[in-house]
Amino acid sequence: MMKQIALYGKGGIGKSTTAANLSAALAGEGLDILQIGCDPKHDSTRMLMHGTWIPTVLDLIRERGDATITVDDVVYRGFGGVRCVEAGGPEPGIGCAGRGIIATFQLLERLDALKGDVIVYDVLGDVVCGGFAMPMREGYAQEIYLVTSGELMSVYAANNIAKAIARLSRRVRSKCTLGGVICNAKNIDGERDLVEEFAHRINSRLIAYVPRDRGVQVAELNRQTVVEYAPESNQAAVYRDLGRTICENRTTSIPTPLEMDELESFALEFVQV
Ligand code: ADP
Ligand code: MG
């Protein structure tokens, strides 16, 4: 059965790094993977594509309208056969960033390209409006994974996304639930405990702790995922474990987001003074 998952989190927190390595790991298990970058930054699949910037769906639509676009124009095969798509974004200063995502889904539906064993949506969660909510709102992503570090701003973003999931889960079309929280470490004191406790408080759980590892940058400089560049490394093993955990995950939940003051007082408990 096809599984559709989405990684949501604050900009720069490590969603694309995690998503690309996850896809690479799952492809290594022989699974057919489709990764869709839903961030105007459009670098989600770049390491899977060995540093190439593939054309974005929004750029293609802008250049020639969507009527003549074929699957081969938008879907590119990367490492391990992972099929890569980038939604793209508007030109800076004009247009709504979420529009690219909406257009991408409409196009991929028309091309009947939304298939595979696992679809990984890599979504910017700084604003959970319009297009950015689409993967969860329209019944595409069934399981949401929140990517956060122990930094308050990224926990705050994760909590906002949890609010969106809780609200959207009441809608008929939406099938989205929270699959778990992934701690992508920034090496802050007490970080793991903080993120784990946050996960519990929002009625979820920490499903993976991804260490901060220099190997990520080294692989990046070689334009590859860690899973491809250093398959024997501990970090690659972490991503393969994450893949297995997500594939086997049967316990998803409807989150209970925290109020702002709750979130702040909770974070204070973990600050070393
Ligand atoms: P996002 O997609 O959330 O905007 P990225 O995946 O692009 O974030 O990550 C931003 C930067 O952080 C990347 O360039 C990468 O080098 C670095 N990074 C992400 N995760 C890790 C990690 N676990 N260890 C070391 N560096 C990381
Ligand atoms: Mg990204």
Side-chain angles (χ1 to χ4, degrees), residues 212-226:
R212 184 145 202 94
D213 188 307
R214 231 185 68 79
V216 170
Q217 275 77 46
V218 175
E220 226 169 57
L221 289 170
N222 287 278
R223 302 178 161 195
Q224 289 173 28
T225 59
V226 179

Side-chain angles (χ1 to χ4, degrees), residues 81-238:
V82 175
R83 288 172 298 122
C84 302
V85 174
E86 291 289 345
E91 287 180 61
I94 30 172
C96 159
R99 274 245 314 281
I101 302 168
I102 295 171
T104 297
F105 275 97
Q106 285 167 349
L107 183 70
L108 293 178
E109 285 270 17
R110 177 171 72 69
L111 298 173
D112 195 26
L114 287 171
K115 45 194 182 191
D117 295 318
V118 182
I119 303 184
V120 179
Y121 301 102
D122 171 7
V123 198
L124 178 65
D126 287 11
V127 280
V128 200
C129 70
F132 298 106
M134 182 141 178
M136 50 169 116
R137 194 182 58 221
E138 301 298 327
Y140 294 109
Q142 299 135 349
E143 286 173 30
I144 312 295
Y145 291 90
L146 301 176
V147 183
T148 185
S149 71
E151 284 177 327
L152 189 56
M153 281 303 110
S154 70
V155 177
Y156 174 76
N159 190 58
N160 263 344
I161 299 156
K163 274 187 197 163
I165 300 169
R167 188 158 296 146
L168 290 168
S169 67
R170 296 188 215 115
R171 292 166 58 135
V172 186
R173 272 174 77 87
S174 148
K175 301 180 198 98
C176 82
T177 56
L178 180 57
V181 178
I182 298 168
C183 178
N184 193 40
K186 284 261 163 96
N187 290 350
I188 298 164
D189 284 340
E191 186 168 37
R192 189 191 180 122
D193 291 342
L194 185 151
V195 176
E196 189 156 32
E197 179 62 18
F198 166 71
H200 287 153
R201 294 216 190 175
I202 63 165
N203 190 35
S204 185
R205 65 199 173 101
L206 183 71
I207 64 133
Y209 176 84
V210 180
R212 184 145 202 94
D213 188 307
R214 231 185 68 79
V216 170
Q217 275 77 46
V218 175
E220 226 169 57
L221 289 170
N222 287 278
R223 302 178 161 195
Q224 289 173 28
T225 59
V226 179
V227 168
E228 178 178 14
Y229 185 75
E232 308 299 324
S233 65
N234 176 64
Q235 193 74 358
V238 167

